[in-house]
Amino acid sequence: VCSSDLHMTLGPKQSAATVPHCNTPVLPLTPEETALYGTRPAEYTQDVNLTPDFARSGQLLAAMWQQHSGHHIDGVFSIDPVALSYVLRGTGPVPANNGVMLTAQNAIGQLLNAPYVVFGAYNDQEDYFASAVHNVFDALVHGQGDAGVALKGVFDGMDEGRAMVWLAAPTEQSAL
């Protein structure tokens, strides 16, 4: 079903580390989750992905964000550098905040290696990652390049488990 009401935005560029540690689990954990992972997935944004269940990770992250910011989010999208390179096949080059143009050919190295070599400070690395994602997202939603090829990159990434989506609305999540 297509809707003209569909609107996607990314929130402000922030590192997962900007959301402070929750002193108690932000959502109740199952006994199985606690036995396997302790309470860390429900207390630290960096640890929501300890569970292999991305929908659960999305729920935990959304709850942490709401507790921290007071803002509700409708979904969580995760994409790795390989899938991002697939998207760049369609959008074409996108600037990174270090003066480098991210391309389908260099994105993997620029995102998995270069930030750690170029930027010494953790915050600079995190800003680089956030800017890269925002710039590629903006290129995608504003139709830069060939949107069909770019969207195919997203779906190829999803097929490979490199891009994942969790939506807060159960009906939408089920349809997805």
Side-chain angles (χ1 to χ4, degrees), residues 86-87 89-91 140 143-155:
Y86 300 164
V87 174
R89 291 177 189 162
T91 64
L140 178 64
Q144 177 178 316
D146 185 328
V149 173
L151 285 173
K152 182 181 182 320
V154 172
F155 291 117

Side-chain angles (χ1 to χ4, degrees), residues 162-173:
R162 298 179 173 283
M164 295 171 273
V165 179
W166 167 79
L167 300 173
T171 304
E172 293 172 359
Q173 180 66 34

Side-chain angles (χ1 to χ4, degrees), residues 81-83 85-86 102-114:
V82 175
S85 76
Y86 300 164
L102 292 176
T103 67
Q105 294 75 29
N106 74 5
I108 297 167
Q110 286 297 322
L111 294 168
L112 289 178
N113 182 319

